[in-house]
Amino acid sequence: MTNKMWGGRFKSGPDAIMQEINASIGFDKRLYAQDIAGSKAHAAMLAQQGIISKSDAKEITRGLDQVQAEIEGGQFTFSTALEDIHMNVEQRLKDIIGEPAGRLHTARSRNDQIATDFRLYIRDAVEHLDGQLKGLQLALAEKAESHAKTIMPGFTHLQVAQPITFGHHCLAYVEMLARDRSRLADARVRMNESPLGAAALAGTSFPIDRTMTARALGFDRPMRNSLDAVADRDFVLELLSAAAICATHLSRLAEEIVIWSTTQFRFVKLSDKFTTGSSIMPQKRNADAAELVRAKPGRILGALTSLLVVMKGLPLTYSKDMQEDKEPAFDAIDNLSLAIAAMAGMVRDLVPNAEVMRLAAASGFSTATDLADWLVRTLKMPFREAHHVAGALVALAEKQGCDLPELKLEDMQKIEKRITRDVYKVLTVEASVASRTSFGGTAPANVARQARRWLKLLK
Ligand code: ARG
């Protein structure tokens, strides 16, 4: 059988393999709601411009509503022979309303149709992800507020560096997610222009009103160049880049949760809800959800790479290559969404082990910088020299097998005779974090203030 949509000049139908490689209905049926919304906007515009009759437009709208109800009610049979969502919907519309269905495709092509449908879908995805990210920020900011004073070691090179607070650490992720959300918001501004009415590529001879359809679909304006309108997939690329960066952020927290929940660290306890046991080792509690979140950038970055490669070197305007934009994007969006949800659950349920974290924060001579700062402040020593003296004191403590606060005053004075008992005040982890009052620093008062600021913004 030749194709009903363009059978005019075709003698035979497609080969089975042609049908298999060509059809997109298996995945683009996801776009049914956007496709129907686009068609309704187009039909209303055609009627207003006198291109089709008002009664035909009414029939088309009624028919499209029925198609949507059938799809949502699970009664719709998708056909591979009809290739994609556009032709599946249109064919069913014809079955329902007859002749007027054939007028819907006036001044339109599947090229501007898919560009419109996919933009609408990506815009919805941006909004959905943004809402989820906000939820995760809230969970982190709440943890930060309750743990503004909970001391933990801050790391560089995964070596204990300086004491910080757990709340401060949580807020670092709140900041990252804020940038992720602002990248999504930026992308949304640029993507919110309508390709509809660009038709196949060159525009149309019919007196259409592109501003009307743009407004009806919530776009800010129609795209200015019809070639660009059907050839552009920047909106997907931008979403995928933002998604890849966001997934990378989540993977860093995921990795920390994996490390923190080991028996070696014991910094946090994860809930039963987000861990699994082992089928052989009864003692095990594995952070599977965190490990999977850690792994997600693989496929999300893969989706970005895949679409960049598809688009690279593609001549204007539409080529069927661009049909390959959808599956990776759907997969990336679904998986990022799942990762954010899992992360929000883990963060909400996670219980920090304050005692263990404090002990770890006090190890590894983590207040050596505070000691050097004391020498600078009290003895007016240049920092470079103070660093050297503090280093010698660390070496001494290491030799004696003790921590800095346990060094005897007379031993310290053998290295620097001007050191007084006053130095002990800065060697505790509590004193160390409390002193970090510079803007953006880890002092509990700062952290509590920042957490409250975020909670106010997010609630
Ligand atoms: N299924 C196609 C896609 O996803 C729709 C556009 C088809 N256009 C065309 N000229 N064959 O890209």
Side-chain angles (χ1 to χ4, degrees):
M1 188 189 77
T2 62
N3 190 295
K4 282 187 200 159
M5 302 285 166
W6 59 70
R9 61 158 297 201
F10 280 68
K11 286 206 184 69
S12 78
D15 190 272
I17 292 296
M18 175 56 193
Q19 197 162 307
E20 196 180 330
I21 193 173
N22 199 38
S24 54
I25 188 63
F27 49 87
D28 69 14
K29 59 175 164 222
R30 270 210 207 210
L31 302 174
Y32 77 88
Q34 289 80 7
D35 193 71
I36 288 170
S39 287
K40 282 175 158 179
H42 187 64
M45 182 278 292
L46 291 176
Q48 162 166 306
Q49 297 300 99
I51 301 167
I52 64 171
S53 71
K54 295 235 153 37
S55 65
D56 280 352
K58 224 174 174 179
E59 274 302 276
I60 289 171
T61 303
R62 183 184 66 81
L64 287 170
D65 283 338
Q66 186 179 325
V67 174
Q68 180 147 2
E70 288 176 6
I71 295 176
E72 284 167 0
Q75 298 123 10
F76 193 96
T77 327
F78 291 100
S79 144
T80 311
L82 288 168
E83 215 183 301
D84 57 27
I85 186 63
H86 321 301
M87 296 203 288
N88 269 269
V89 170
E90 195 180 318
Q91 182 58 49
R92 181 66 192 131
L93 182 66
K94 195 167 172 214
D95 296 343
I96 299 169
I97 67 168
E99 197 249 20
R103 301 185 188 278
L104 172 60
H105 214 53
T106 316
R108 185 178 77 170
S109 150
R110 281 188 296 156
N111 295 350
D112 59 339
Q113 204 178 345
I114 188 62
T116 305
D117 294 3
F118 206 24
R119 252 172 216 265
L120 291 171
Y121 186 91
I122 296 291
R123 192 180 70 188
D124 286 348
V126 161
E127 282 162 14
H128 177 72
L129 291 170
D130 182 68
Q132 280 194 294
L133 287 171
K134 186 177 174 180
L136 176 53
Q137 280 184 304
L138 191 60
L140 285 159
E142 274 165 357
K143 277 280 146 174
E145 194 187 32
S146 22
H147 293 283
K149 285 194 229 165
T150 307
I151 292 171
M152 71 179 282
F155 297 91
T156 60
H157 314 268
L158 198 55
Q159 308 281 341
V160 171
Q162 292 175 351
I164 59 168
T165 73
F166 185 68
H168 200 47
H169 201 104
C170 290
L171 289 180
Y173 283 100
V174 175
E175 296 288 341
M176 286 179 237
L177 299 175
R179 288 194 298 276
D180 292 331
R181 290 180 64 198
S182 89
R183 264 182 284 276
L184 289 174
D186 282 350
R188 192 193 184 287
V189 170
R190 270 185 298 279
M191 79 175 62
N192 204 32
E193 295 188 336
S194 174
L196 194 58
L201 75 162
T204 173
S205 58
F206 290 98
I208 59 170
D209 181 349
R210 291 190 58 204
T211 302
M212 178 180 170
T213 47
R215 287 223 180 100
L217 296 169
F219 288 117
D220 295 326
R221 63 192 78 85
M223 290 177 80
R224 276 183 300 272
N225 183 295
S226 64
L227 306 179
D228 181 45
V230 295
D232 171 52
R233 289 296 180 272
D234 288 2
F235 59 100
V236 196
L237 290 172
E238 286 198 44
L239 167 78
L240 291 176
S241 343
I245 298 174
C246 177
T248 305
H249 289 154
L250 297 183
S251 80
R252 297 180 77 170
L253 180 53
E255 165 69 347
E256 294 187 317
I257 291 176
V258 170
I259 296 177
W260 292 344
S261 61
T262 57
T263 19
Q264 288 75 19
F265 267 78
R266 291 196 303 125
F267 280 12
V268 299
K269 187 158 186 292
L270 299 176
S271 75
D272 289 354
K273 285 192 269 171
F274 289 96
T275 46
T276 61
S278 155
S279 55
I280 175 166
M281 298 164 282
Q283 85 286 7
K284 290 274 281 202
R285 178 196 283 280
N286 297 325
D288 290 32
E291 292 171 67
L292 287 161
V293 173
R294 184 172 64 183
K296 292 299 182 193
R299 64 209 292 166
I300 295 171
L301 238 135
L304 172 62
T305 309
S306 141
L307 186 57
L308 281 169
V309 175
V310 166
M311 297 308 291
K312 184 209 160 289
L314 210 59
L316 299 189
T317 52
Y318 178 85
S319 294
K320 199 61 173 256
D321 306 52
M322 287 159 73
Q323 180 165 289
E324 293 278 312
D325 59 356
K326 285 169 211 70
E327 286 168 289
F330 290 152
D331 184 77
I333 293 163
D334 292 350
N335 279 282
L336 181 58
S337 172
L338 191 56
I340 301 169
M343 190 50 93
M346 278 188 279
V347 168
R348 261 184 239 113
D349 280 15
L350 168 158
V351 182
N353 189 340
E355 241 166 88
V356 172
M357 291 201 300
R358 192 204 170 279
L359 210 65
S363 74
F365 316 107
S366 66
T367 53
T369 315
D370 299 272
L371 173 55
D373 288 351
W374 183 90
L375 296 168
V376 169
R377 212 177 307 115
T378 318
L379 306 181
K380 309 290 173 229
M381 221 181 244
F383 182 77
R384 284 285 162 236
E385 196 187 325
H387 184 284
H388 194 79
V389 172
L393 290 164
V394 166
L396 180 67
E398 207 161 22
K399 206 171 108 204
Q400 296 187 354
C402 68
D403 274 319
L404 288 174
E406 286 140 36
L407 281 176
K408 288 208 197 73
L409 185 61
E410 63 253 39
D411 287 343
M412 291 204 230
Q413 285 167 339
K414 274 179 207 145
I415 289 170
E416 169 50 62
K417 60 176 187 315
R418 291 175 295 163
I419 293 180
T420 64
R421 187 155 299 284
D422 181 64
V423 77
Y424 289 102
K425 284 200 301 214
V426 304
L427 297 182
T428 67
V429 287
E430 284 76 14
S432 174
V433 293
S435 74
R436 299 292 195 270
T437 52
S438 55
F439 182 78
T442 197
N446 275 6
V447 174
R449 199 177 320 114
Q450 286 291 331
R452 279 196 303 273
R453 176 188 164 273
W454 275 115
L455 288 172
K456 216 167 108 192
L457 279 172
L458 294 165
K459 270 181 180 160

